[in-house]
Amino acid sequence: MLATLIHAPGDIRVETVPDPVLSTGRDAIVRVVAACVCGSDLWPYRGVTPTREPRRIGHEFVGVVEAVGDEVERVRPGDFVIAPFYVCDGTCANCRNGVSTSCLHGGWWGSEDRDGAFADGAQGERVRVPLADGTLAVVPGPVSDDEVPGLLTLSDVMGTGHHAAVSAGVGRGDTVAVVGDGAVGLCAIIAAKRLGATTIIAMSRHPERQALAREFGATHVVAERGEAGVEAVRALTGGIGADRVLECVGTKESMDQAIRSARPGGMVGYVGVPNGGPELPVRRLFETNVGVNGGVAPVRGYIEELLPDVRSGAIRPGLVFDLELPLAEAAEAYAAMDERRAVKVLLRP
């Protein structure tokens, strides 16, 4: 089959690799209907995180189950499924506590699982899925083709934006500022509106993303950064700052922007993958009573909650995909996102 590998910074190739096979009894083979490129995939693409040898890449996909192991009970061949960006069993103590990203038996796409069998990267034609009963979320059929983009966001970005809002404690009547206008930041706007925020400030300098932010529910847009950005948020919030701030980038500058944009006693929900040395200024947090909560989003636990709203059209996170390409053009998908010619690219095998 064909699959995407990263060889070095800026070097993405689609190559022929071995077909996946069932190997543990608890796994499944899924034919990928759609995958995508994540903002976090750009860190190795840009060389921020090292690539020591060629490896499979991609961690977001939806597809149709082709085969299951003898011990699989919930998932059946023919099911349309959403795969979160990680592997989990759904039954261990951490999964039961709502932190399935820390599953005691879990793992990550593009690497060996705990049994030593390979879990294919998502940007390919097929994927071997370990712990299929816990990892995969079945979407009741039939599933139309125009539903695919929205369903694909539930594998990561919509659930991650939701996690930022939940971590910050967004509720009815809140004023929310969102730092970051990538796919996660845009989905965080959807999440904030869905949870009842009435004032939503999108921090964005890009006109096309500003327009999408407004379509998703942003009531204001702030293009400034640094101290000017903080002052602009304060000017929109009675001079004190936002009740909740959602940090969706992961850099030192974005975390600083988020913390200083929160009002005294406010809360920052952060989901940006940490790169570029983000730090917590404990003295500032102490003096202002600003809280910080969040981390890697346990999106598997959010799929059932968000799925009805995606399928009904109540929320439309699939609009973050503004470019669709065949899998064979994965290198162009990475380049388009790296050069900010696309918010998020959907790949069709």
Side-chain angles (χ1 to χ4, degrees):
M1 70 171 189
L2 294 177
T4 305
L5 290 85
I6 182 168
H7 282 251
D11 186 359
I12 295 290
R13 307 180 197 178
V14 177
E15 301 177 349
T16 300
V17 301
D19 290 332
V21 294
L22 296 173
S23 56
T24 65
R26 295 170 293 168
D27 47 4
I29 305 299
V30 175
R31 174 179 58 81
V32 176
V33 170
C36 53
V37 179
C38 181
S40 64
D41 291 329
L42 297 181
W43 296 125
Y45 182 78
R46 292 168 175 163
V48 177
T49 56
T51 298
R52 296 182 174 86
E53 59 184 14
R55 63 176 177 85
R56 299 280 290 279
I57 194 167
H59 53 258
E60 303 158 276
F61 69 97
V62 295
V64 177
V65 177
E66 290 192 335
V68 298
D70 294 339
E71 299 176 38
V72 176
E73 298 179 353
R74 289 183 51 258
V75 180
R76 290 288 176 260
D79 284 344
F80 189 99
V81 292
I82 301 169
F85 62 83
Y86 55 91
V87 172
C88 60
D89 64 14
T91 60
C92 78
N94 289 338
C95 287
R96 295 195 306 272
N97 286 333
V99 195
S100 53
T101 44
S102 295
C103 177
L104 296 174
H105 309 107
W108 308 97
W109 305 113
S111 63
E112 290 189 349
D113 65 18
R114 300 297 179 94
D115 296 314
F118 189 68
D120 301 77
Q123 294 165 15
E125 293 182 315
R126 287 176 177 78
V127 175
R128 176 189 164 271
V129 179
L131 304 175
D133 278 338
T135 301
L136 296 173
V138 177
V139 180
V143 174
S144 63
D145 191 62
D146 62 0
E147 289 186 275
V148 167
L151 296 176
L152 182 55
T153 66
L154 295 179
S155 68
D156 188 344
V157 292
M158 185 60 231
T160 298
H162 180 69
H163 187 57
V166 169
S167 296
V170 174
R172 294 194 178 280
D174 277 344
T175 295
V176 176
V178 179
V179 179
D181 62 358
V184 171
L186 291 167
C187 287
I189 292 170
I190 295 175
K193 182 179 180 181
R194 180 178 176 275
L195 292 173
T198 51
T199 300
I200 302 174
I201 303 165
M203 304 196 78
S204 171
R205 292 177 288 190
H206 304 88
E208 69 284 356
R209 300 182 187 214
Q210 293 173 355
L212 193 52
R214 289 191 180 278
E215 184 170 353
F216 284 163
T219 56
H220 302 80
V221 171
V222 167
E224 294 85 357
R225 289 290 181 270
E227 189 59 37
V230 172
E231 290 303 319
V233 171
R234 288 176 179 163
L236 294 169
T237 56
I240 63 170
D243 300 315
R244 320 289 171 188
V245 183
L246 313 185
E247 191 285 311
C248 303
V249 182
T251 65
K252 181 177 181 178
E253 293 78 12
S254 62
M255 182 63 82
D256 177 71
Q257 187 84 60
I259 290 170
R260 293 196 296 131
S261 296
R263 66 163 171 80
M267 178 68 77
V268 174
Y270 76 101
V271 294
V273 178
N275 276 284
E279 300 172 350
L280 293 182
V282 176
R283 172 65 70 175
R284 175 183 290 276
L285 298 177
F286 180 83
E287 292 175 349
T288 61
N289 282 280
V290 168
V292 179
N293 186 33
V296 58
V299 300
R300 179 61 185 86
Y302 295 137
I303 291 176
E304 281 77 9
E305 175 185 350
L306 297 172
L307 180 60
D309 283 356
V310 171
R311 298 202 79 181
S312 71
I315 59 175
R316 301 178 66 198
L319 293 177
V320 299
F321 293 107
D322 54 350
L323 178 62
E324 181 175 321
L325 293 171
L327 176 65
E329 296 181 27
E332 167 58 18
Y334 276 78
M337 286 186 60
D338 180 50
E339 297 164 8
R340 300 186 75 86
R341 291 185 279 113
V343 175
K344 194 167 180 68
V345 184
L346 187 147
L347 296 170
R348 298 266 191 178

